[in-house]
Amino acid sequence: METTTKAVTLGYERNAAPRVEYGIQRLREALQNSGYTVLEAEAPWSLENYRSVQGMKIYIGNRQESKFVQQLEARDVLLYHTEAPEGEGFYLASCPGGITVISGGSDSGVLYGCLELASRIGEAQKLPSDIAYGDKPRFALRGPAIGLQKTTVEPPRQTYEYPITTDRFPWFYDRSLWQDFLHMMVEQRCNVVYLWSGHPFSSLVQLEDYPEALEVTEKELAYNRETFRWITEEADRRGIWVVLKFYNIHIPLPFAQKHDLKLHQPKPLPITSDYYKKSIAAFVQSFPNAGLMVCLGEALQGQIYGVEWFNETILAGLLEGLKHSNVKEKPPIILRSHAIEPQKVIEAALPLYPNLYTEAKYNGESLTTYTPRGRWQETHNRLGSLQTIHIVNVHILANLEPFRYGAPSFIQKCMQAAKYRLKANGLHLYPLFFWDWPYAPDKAEKRLRQLERDWIWFAAWFRYAWNPDRDPQAERNYWIDTLGKRFGSLEAGKAILDAYEASGECAPKLLRRFGITEGNRQTMSLGMTMSQLTNPERHMPWPDLWESQSPQGERLDEFVVKELSGEPHIGETPTDIIADAQRHAEDALLAIQQASHFVTRNRDEYERLASDMAAIRHMVQAYVHKVKAAILILTYKHSVKGEYFNRIELLEAAVVELAQGLDSYRELTTLTEKTYLFANSMQTPQRKVPIRGGLDYRHWSACLPLYEAELEAFRLHVKELKSGVMPEALKNLKAPIVRYAEAPFSLLSEHAELYHVEKGVEVFTDGDIHVVGCAEELNGLTGVRFSQRQAGLQGLAIDIELHQPSKVLVGYFNSKDDQWLQVPSLEENTHADDRGGYAPILRKGLRLYAYPSVNIHAFQYEAGRQTLDFGKGAFLILGVIPIDQDIRPRDVEHKNDGIDTLDWLYE
């Protein structure tokens, strides 16, 4: 039989943009793979001559620039039944004369049109005869974030500070990995990739005025520049911006050492401003296809200096660099709404540079709900109302680590919430194990790559970033088909999808109702202590978790009090959640087991997924029983009201629940010892829940002995109470309280003065606010007082000389009012605990006349001159004590460390 060769002629503008050329390349490959011979148009096409080209024809054009597309539109040959394509939108049309037209609203629109047609050709193995289809993204920015970060710090550098070198980041130089990653991104129609670093400029540019700032060798610099230029160019071919993220004000270690500066600067200095301005100008000039993402919070006191630093340093450097760059599109500049209110910054910056974006975290540093509300919803809405594009940042995922997550319907609802509840127009997506990119945490003969392991995580978020409003039933069929192709059958696809969907509800529900924080301070899969469940105030809970990142509902203590008083419950209750989580976990395990008979492909990955479903079920069971124990213990607390020898049966029942929870945790530990290297990707000291120390307590096996000791202590104390014996812990809590010892220091600031902390003394140099009562530990210490007005309105720095390593006692007022200095939090500032003092040592340790109560924190400082500059807001300095002073943290009013907290039961 004689065969005929199918031929298709491609027409397009010569000297097309790189991303248009890439789209044409992908279209050409799809045609060739489907048996077509691909010909190139010999002359430019016009309305008058295109019919003279024989056979099938495809024309590819940017309607803003292509005269041929404009002619077709003007003469009504090319008509749109949807909106005419603009920006990244496109339209595919079969037009008279045997021509298929790809009309793009921009070069990126042309690219996506080529990809869409190529996909349809590949699916049908032929060029569609009749097509009229338009599409466009619903979110303006869509892409993943990866970190030039390590899991631990490198002293003397601090968190985030890692020069870019081959030994630290071999993956950065792996072009094969980048090709795979960029291929995934263009398939999912991403248009941005965010690269996170503390201070990347000292690894990518060299400044004539500041040669000491370079943190790599000349050879490494050349390699870095060559690599980064290649990455940005390859990304640009695919319609992808590379956006480099950095923190302010972080400076290079050798630069800091030469100029006797700290690595992190709280306010601008002439030298740091000049250095940054020149660094950014050099960077923009060198890499015109890269944007910038700016974090004005954390180190920099952004509320005071944000406008100045952003406009006079960052934008000034950017504009200087753009003078020498010939770019078609101005690079995006993204301002993080992190530890700063960005509205004033944006309003001041827009006249200088219009291509501005804002970004804020979606559910903090976890995934908890698709109905965010409260203060955080208001923040998003406010940012979404500015004359910028607002981006939601799906960040860290501390409650999902380390297990696989792929619940498409949950993710779709999140993207709908981003659009409708939060008024956002962009997605910034973290991988599931951010700090150890590109590797997954699984134990395997060869480390798994997150790119392959978590393919569904990326695919689902980006699918719904393109269009979150797809029909739910059609989407279910889509994912069944996708999973079926991956694992060998539609039956396998359906069961695996059901497992993903059910398991995807477990971690969000558990954390939002029982957790301490939505931040990466907590690794949820490692469990929680009984104290964290029954006495969360002791562990500095983050109210945003339940006030913004959760539906309406009740915390454990509130639930028990309402139960005992017969009050009606409102919203989610703890018992609702443990019942839901248990049901979801059981459904997921049953579904994944049912899939086993139908899996004929990728069996290894199926077994890992099945292991994850089993691990999630063990984790849920550990939480369920522990929460039941907590409800019994809190019921005991509120029933006996200090008469601890009553109602012991409640504690005995709690012992049974706690033991069952521990059995589930042991099974989880046994399983994960075979399957996971660690539970959390960030293993720095910022990890504090359930156990302080992310490096020492990064696996279930490290936490298990502490939970075993917790149960043993609980059993012992319940046994003592039952036999009528006063537990030793109760006696120890009554130990006498004595004043802290003083460490010698000198006050150097002339605008401040010394005083003795005691009842009746005034604490500021202006006004007559005096001490009404203070903790015994503080009485008689030497404090420093200064102007409340100046501290409250502008911020105020105090210089002191420490004669030995010491702790400075700082008082924070218990009020969110702007006039008071706010405690730095790990949820907003990764460096909040660099000097210790994150948690208060004395809650309500000082009471003042007519003012809020004061919490006392202790910050560690080295011997020598120190500048205490905490930012805007009034505060107190209440003494200096030796660094080795024995400190017993307590609530002076006995609300979270006294006998009635019951922490003594399990400690």
Side-chain angles (χ1 to χ4, degrees):
M1 180 184 291
E2 184 178 348
T3 61
T4 58
T5 302
K6 300 178 293 185
V8 177
T9 303
L10 300 184
Y12 49 89
E13 299 287 326
R14 296 299 182 258
N15 302 315
R19 63 191 62 175
V20 172
E21 289 182 347
Y22 180 81
I24 294 170
Q25 173 190 328
R26 293 289 299 274
L27 179 60
R28 185 183 295 113
E29 290 169 356
L31 288 165
Q32 291 171 340
N33 291 338
S34 299
Y36 290 91
T37 297
V38 180
L39 306 174
E40 304 288 331
E42 295 180 359
W45 290 350
S46 67
L47 194 62
E48 290 75 25
N49 73 1
Y50 82 90
R51 284 177 176 269
S52 64
V53 179
Q54 298 300 308
M56 291 179 283
K57 300 174 281 294
I58 300 174
Y59 185 79
I60 304 105
N62 178 340
R63 64 187 294 262
Q64 304 298 325
E65 301 175 356
S66 168
K67 292 182 179 179
F68 183 43
V69 172
Q70 292 167 2
Q71 286 178 335
L72 294 172
E73 290 178 348
R75 296 297 296 273
D76 288 349
V77 176
L78 173 59
L79 296 169
Y80 304 115
H81 77 286
T82 61
E83 292 179 351
E86 294 181 359
E88 293 179 306
F90 63 86
Y91 194 91
L92 311 179
S94 299
C95 293
I99 187 171
T100 300
V101 176
I102 300 174
S103 171
S106 66
D107 293 340
S108 289
V110 174
L111 166 63
Y112 294 139
C114 288
L115 294 176
E116 177 68 26
L117 186 57
S119 175
R120 292 181 179 226
I121 292 169
E123 190 75 25
Q125 289 294 291
K126 66 176 184 177
L127 177 65
S129 301
D130 298 287
I131 188 169
Y133 175 76
D135 201 3
K136 64 179 181 180
R138 282 28 167 209
F139 285 81
L141 280 186
R142 313 166 302 279
I146 54 177
L148 286 161
Q149 311 286 10
K150 306 291 287 182
T151 57
T152 57
V153 295
E154 295 182 356
R157 291 185 171 90
Q158 299 179 24
T159 309
Y160 307 138
E161 308 298 338
Y162 306 98
I164 305 171
T165 57
T166 53
D167 58 326
R168 288 185 179 89
F169 305 109
W171 62 264
F172 179 74
Y173 307 89
D174 185 344
R175 297 193 178 189
S176 175
L177 171 66
W178 276 108
Q179 291 280 13
D180 292 345
F181 188 51
L182 294 171
H183 178 74
M184 179 276 289
M185 289 180 62
V186 76
E187 288 298 306
Q188 302 298 339
R189 298 181 183 174
C190 298
N191 61 359
V192 61
V193 57
Y194 309 88
L195 266 176
W196 282 54
S197 176
H199 184 77
F201 305 114
S202 55
S203 297
L204 293 170
V205 296
Q206 188 172 21
L207 302 179
E208 184 177 338
D209 292 346
Y210 300 104
E212 71 278 7
L214 190 65
E215 292 197 89
V216 295
T217 66
E218 297 276 354
K219 184 177 180 181
E220 288 171 333
L221 175 67
Y223 194 18
N224 286 349
R225 289 173 63 84
E226 175 195 345
T227 301
F228 193 69
R229 184 170 289 107
W230 177 85
I231 292 168
T232 59
E233 289 173 354
E234 286 297 305
D236 182 60
R237 288 181 62 216
R238 295 162 174 83
I240 297 167
W241 280 103
V242 177
V243 170
L244 195 63
K245 149 77 175 55
F246 61 98
Y247 285 86
N248 291 281
I249 301 173
H250 290 202
I251 56 178
L253 179 63
F255 178 85
Q257 291 172 332
K258 175 170 181 179
H259 300 284
D260 195 25
L261 297 170
K262 293 180 179 178
L263 273 174
H264 299 159
Q265 292 292 310
K267 59 186 178 182
L269 300 172
I271 189 172
T272 55
S273 182
D274 188 59
Y275 163 70
Y276 256 85
K277 194 183 305 180
K278 288 173 177 172
S279 294
I280 291 171
F283 174 80
V284 170
Q285 188 173 350
S286 299
F287 307 107
N289 297 321
L292 295 171
M293 185 172 182
V294 180
C295 182
L296 293 179
E298 297 213 1
L300 176 68
Q301 294 172 9
Q303 298 290 57
I304 303 175
Y305 304 109
V307 172
E308 171 190 344
W309 185 255
F310 191 72
N311 286 349
E312 298 178 18
T313 297
I314 293 172
L315 285 187
L318 171 76
L319 294 171
E320 180 64 29
L322 285 176
K323 286 180 183 177
H324 309 285
S325 299
N326 183 23
V327 291
K328 192 171 184 178
E329 297 179 70
K330 288 189 174 182
I333 306 300
I334 303 169
L335 175 61
R336 285 192 76 199
S337 175
H338 178 67
I340 184 177
E341 171 51 61
Q343 188 164 347
K344 289 182 180 179
V345 180
I346 291 294
E347 289 172 351
L350 276 171
L352 299 175
Y353 192 78
N355 198 18
L356 296 179
Y357 300 73
T358 57
E359 173 266 3
K361 294 173 183 174
Y362 176 66
N363 280 171
E365 295 173 340
S366 300
L367 186 64
T368 58
T369 183
Y370 44 77
T371 53
R373 61 191 181 95
R375 181 182 71 89
W376 204 233
Q377 182 188 11
E378 293 170 5
T379 296
H380 280 282
N381 287 339
R382 189 165 61 253
L383 295 176
S385 69
L386 301 177
Q387 298 175 40
T388 58
I389 288 173
H390 181 52
I391 305 163
V392 292
N393 175 359
V394 179
H395 194 85
I396 291 289
L397 296 316
N399 64 325
L400 306 186
E401 292 180 336
F403 306 122
R404 288 156 178 77
Y405 189 95
S409 65
F410 195 104
I411 293 170
Q412 181 178 14
K413 293 184 187 80
C414 289
M415 290 309 298
Q416 288 171 330
K419 179 180 177 183
Y420 297 112
R421 288 188 66 81
L422 304 185
K423 313 303 181 190
N425 196 13
L427 171 66
H428 173 289
L429 179 72
Y430 265 46
L432 283 172
F433 216 68
F434 174 79
W435 292 87
D436 205 18
W437 180 266
Y439 300 113
D442 304 64
K443 275 188 176 179
E445 192 171 318
K446 182 180 179 182
R447 291 288 300 273
L448 303 182
R449 298 195 313 184
Q450 295 183 56
L451 188 57
E452 287 84 24
R453 188 196 89 144
D454 299 320
W455 66 273
I456 193 171
W457 170 260
F458 295 111
W461 283 101
F462 297 136
R463 179 173 177 80
Y464 300 121
W466 181 268
N467 181 6
D469 296 321
R470 302 171 192 263
D471 176 70
Q473 186 56 51
E475 287 308 286
R476 177 168 174 79
N477 294 335
Y478 169 82
W479 289 109
I480 289 173
D481 183 62
T482 300
L483 288 162
K485 289 175 180 176
R486 193 174 190 89
F487 291 100
S489 68
L490 287 178
E491 293 86 351
K494 178 182 180 300
I496 290 172
L497 177 62
D498 288 343
Y500 266 130
E501 294 281 27
S503 66
E505 296 281 354
C506 295
K509 287 186 175 180
L510 288 174
L511 185 77
R512 73 193 191 203
R513 197 48 49 209
F514 308 119
I516 295 294
T517 175
E518 37 78 336
N520 63 33
R521 182 163 51 105
Q522 176 167 5
T523 305
M524 198 206 79
S525 67
L526 292 178
M528 293 173 66
T529 66
M530 287 305 301
S531 174
Q532 288 159 355
L533 287 170
T534 61
N535 184 22
E537 285 301 315
R538 175 183 172 187
H539 306 277
M540 298 190 70
W542 186 246
D544 256 0
L545 171 59
W546 57 90
E547 293 175 358
S548 293
Q549 317 297 3
S550 307
Q552 182 63 257
E554 296 170 2
R555 304 279 286 168
L556 274 164
D557 196 69
E558 179 187 3
F559 167 77
V560 169
V561 170
K562 285 188 173 185
E563 279 285 289
L564 290 173
S565 64
E567 294 180 57
H569 297 290
I570 299 176
E572 291 181 344
T573 68
T575 51
D576 292 337
I577 291 301
I578 59 175
D580 282 355
Q582 206 162 16
R583 171 172 55 85
H584 294 315
E586 295 293 342
D587 288 349
L589 190 61
L590 179 62
I592 204 69
Q593 290 170 346
Q594 289 174 341
S596 179
H597 306 294
F598 304 106
V599 173
T600 60
R601 299 183 61 196
N602 291 310
R603 187 78 196 186
D604 288 350
E605 180 54 26
Y606 164 77
E607 296 293 346
R608 293 189 184 100
L609 180 59
S611 176
D612 272 6
M613 297 301 158
I616 289 170
R617 180 179 174 273
H618 291 318
M619 179 190 74
V620 167
Q621 288 296 101
Y623 269 100
V624 164
H625 289 295
K626 209 154 192 176
V627 167
K628 288 181 177 179
I631 291 172
L632 287 163
I633 291 166
L634 289 169
T635 303
Y636 166 81
K637 168 187 171 179
H638 291 293
S639 299
V640 302
K641 297 179 180 178
E643 299 296 328
Y644 298 117
F645 294 105
N646 295 336
R647 303 214 58 187
I648 307 302
E649 72 278 3
L650 289 169
L651 298 184
E652 290 180 307
V655 168
V656 174
E657 293 289 353
L658 194 56
Q660 289 180 319
L662 186 59
D663 287 342
S664 294
Y665 197 87
R666 285 196 185 100
E667 292 186 60
L668 176 61
T669 301
T670 299
L671 177 60
T672 54
E673 281 180 324
K674 300 172 186 174
T675 56
Y676 279 102
L677 297 168
F678 24 71
N680 46 20
S681 64
M682 187 177 83
Q683 294 155 22
T684 65
Q686 282 72 28
R687 295 285 195 179
K688 296 185 184 296
V689 180
I691 314 294
R692 291 175 180 267
L695 186 58
D696 295 330
Y697 295 98
R698 56 183 177 168
H699 198 278
W700 298 264
S701 57
C703 299
L704 178 60
L706 284 90
Y707 293 137
E708 291 174 331
E710 178 184 65
L711 175 60
E712 185 179 346
F714 188 40
R715 278 182 171 147
L716 171 65
H717 296 320
V718 173
K719 184 178 179 182
E720 289 174 332
L721 289 170
K722 189 174 182 181
S723 63
V725 175
M726 176 72 76
E728 193 66 27
L730 288 181
K731 301 173 187 176
N732 291 341
L733 281 174
K734 296 180 179 180
I737 297 170
V738 297
R739 197 195 81 175
Y740 296 145
E742 287 203 275
F745 73 99
S746 302
L747 176 62
L748 305 179
S749 294
E750 294 183 358
H751 58 270
E753 61 188 38
L754 301 176
Y755 72 103
H756 289 297
V757 179
E758 57 191 5
K759 187 174 181 178
V761 73
E762 293 176 356
V763 295
F764 293 111
T765 56
D766 47 358
D768 58 355
I769 301 304
H770 60 270
V771 176
V772 173
C774 70
E776 295 92 324
E777 295 93 332
L778 303 176
N779 196 50
L781 292 181
T782 302
V784 179
R785 59 188 169 202
F786 39 82
S787 167
Q788 176 192 347
R789 177 179 175 80
Q790 187 177 348
L793 293 178
Q794 301 170 327
L796 185 145
I798 301 295
D799 290 318
I800 59 174
E801 181 83 25
L802 298 177
H803 304 299
Q804 64 187 54
S806 307
K807 291 181 178 178
V808 177
L809 303 182
V810 178
Y812 290 87
F813 289 85
N814 282 305
S815 170
K816 294 296 184 183
D817 195 273
D818 288 346
Q819 65 179 306
W820 309 116
L821 180 69
Q822 299 299 307
V823 181
S825 69
L826 285 170
E827 279 74 13
E828 296 180 326
N829 184 352
T830 306
H831 306 292
D833 204 28
D834 286 354
R835 292 192 175 277
Y838 173 72
I841 58 172
L842 297 171
R843 288 183 179 270
K844 299 187 178 179
L846 197 73
R847 286 186 296 118
L848 305 175
Y849 175 74
Y851 272 23
S853 61
V854 179
N855 287 348
I856 316 303
H857 295 245
F859 296 101
Q860 300 177 17
Y861 286 89
E862 307 80 18
R865 181 172 182 142
Q866 301 290 346
T867 298
L868 308 179
D869 188 355
F870 305 119
K872 181 182 176 183
F875 62 99
L876 300 174
I877 297 176
L878 296 164
V880 178
I881 62 177
I883 202 163
D884 57 358
Q885 168 75 52
D886 183 37
I887 291 176
R888 188 174 99 200
R890 70 184 183 97
D891 189 316
V892 177
E893 296 183 6
H894 299 293
K895 288 187 177 176
N896 66 44
D897 77 322
I899 294 171
D900 62 346
T901 66
L902 304 189
D903 280 351
W904 52 270
L905 276 171
Y906 12 83
E907 292 182 351

